[in-house]
Amino acid sequence: MSSGISFVWDGRPDAAERLEDEMFMGIGESVPEVVEDQDEETAEDQDGQERPRTIIGAVAARRDGSLLGLAEVYEEPEGDRAARVQGLYGPRMARRIATGYYDQLPPTDEEFDVFVGLYRHAAQGAGGAGYRTLRFSGMDTGVDGRAATELNADVCRELAREWSAEPATWQPPDGLPDVPVQQRPGPGLTLAAPDAEISLGLVGCGSHLNASEGIRHHTTAPRVLAALLAHLLTCLRRDHPDVTELTISEFDDEVVRRALPLAGLRIGARFMEYELPLTPA
């Protein structure tokens, strides 16, 4: 672990809010709307009723007094004495504020050390508060997956997958149908085919698409959607050579899941749910 990083558990209900305010004051910004939305998030209990989240506490990661990262810990609503932790790394959030988008840069050793320490101390704090399980989620190839390995957490289930292709080296697969495609005006790149549409924001050398937001389809066959995806990659290679990689986050959509490999994309990472058994105090 990187030297000089200290971790402190704070069991007050407003601990995470205090740390978020400190972090964004250090960045020189107000708390982003996305973080404020998380603070106000409700949880759905086992009867399907929404209720405010029960905050257990938070962990701060510091070096020489400066806040490097934080983790909020809150109660899961199922009633099984499980807690959930969400980590935040300050330098990555600062880049997001400066650029306006999530970057795809791989985690540094420091970021990994911060997340391992945050989750380790979150487990200690949640266990001390009487919880039996700590849950977190993230990419198996990212800091969450590496932290799960370091902490010997159990893989609970797969939540989503991240597919990717490099337009410069990608080749159109054989056998896709000839689909009429229109490019619609507006920011980014929006392509429409009968009963399907894809909207992609063009930011930097790597463009990311959340399939649940950027891919719309109704009765579309997977092969037809695959043809539209292939047209998207062709457009990127021809008209946007600065985009070196396209990544698509795919959730539980059977049509999208079947279309992506037909279009020549491959799974690069899996979004997993992890569980760390705790010893309650």
Side-chain angles (χ1 to χ4, degrees):
M1 179 171 289
S2 299
S3 61
I5 301 179
S6 61
F7 299 90
V8 177
W9 165 263
D10 186 339
R12 292 175 293 181
D14 64 345
E17 183 178 353
R18 291 169 179 266
L19 292 173
E20 287 163 2
D21 288 342
E22 178 184 347
M23 174 175 288
F24 294 109
M25 285 180 61
I27 296 173
E29 296 283 342
S30 58
V31 179
E33 183 178 347
V34 64
V35 176
E36 291 178 340
D37 288 345
Q38 290 174 358
D39 290 341
E40 298 170 359
E41 185 177 319
T42 58
E44 190 173 278
D45 62 25
Q46 56 191 352
D47 296 321
Q49 300 297 315
E50 287 191 349
R51 61 178 177 81
R53 292 194 311 192
T54 299
I55 305 299
I56 302 169
V59 184
R62 299 182 184 277
R63 175 183 282 130
D64 298 328
S66 297
L67 189 65
L68 278 177
L70 63 93
E72 181 184 44
V73 185
Y74 58 93
E75 182 180 290
E76 289 279 59
E78 292 90 346
D80 56 359
R81 300 302 292 166
R84 179 168 293 274
V85 58
Q86 290 182 325
L88 183 65
Y89 181 56
R92 190 173 292 272
M93 179 55 72
R95 291 197 300 271
R96 181 191 175 187
I97 291 173
T99 62
Y101 64 92
Y102 281 114
D103 63 57
Q104 299 295 313
L105 295 175
T108 62
D109 289 341
E110 178 184 84
E111 186 172 0
F112 170 63
D113 289 345
V114 166
F115 267 78
V116 170
L118 288 173
Y119 288 0
R120 191 189 305 277
H121 285 74
Q124 294 171 359
Y131 290 85
R132 300 181 179 278
T133 306
L134 182 69
R135 296 173 183 157
F136 57 96
S137 57
M139 292 294 182
D140 57 357
T141 58
V143 289
D144 296 285
R146 291 179 61 186
T149 300
E150 180 74 15
L151 299 174
N152 295 316
D154 299 323
V155 176
C156 182
R157 58 189 172 120
E158 182 181 270
L159 300 173
R161 291 137 296 277
E162 186 175 272
W163 301 72
S164 66
E166 298 175 354
T169 58
W170 168 86
Q171 294 297 320
D174 296 330
L176 293 180
D178 186 12
V179 175
V181 177
Q182 292 183 337
Q183 182 171 339
R184 295 184 173 171
L189 180 59
T190 298
L191 301 178
D195 203 38
E197 183 177 288
I198 299 175
S199 297
L200 174 68
L202 299 172
V203 183
C205 61
S207 287
H208 180 262
L209 176 64
N210 183 323
S212 64
E213 299 174 352
I215 298 179
R216 291 171 288 281
H217 65 88
H218 300 287
T219 59
T220 311
R223 293 179 68 251
V224 173
L225 184 57
L228 184 58
L229 287 163
H231 195 91
L232 174 69
L233 283 159
T234 299
C235 286
L236 289 175
R237 179 165 57 192
R238 182 188 63 219
D239 303 329
H240 304 278
D242 53 321
V243 176
T244 59
E245 185 177 26
L246 170 67
T247 59
I248 299 179
S249 295
E250 169 264 315
F251 302 85
D252 291 328
D253 186 316
E254 184 66 22
V255 172
V256 174
R257 185 181 303 186
R258 291 171 59 189
L260 287 165
L262 291 175
L265 285 89
R266 63 188 183 278
I267 294 179
R270 299 177 187 273
F271 196 82
M272 310 298 291
E273 175 93 342
Y274 300 101
E275 286 191 350
L276 184 62
L278 305 178
T279 302

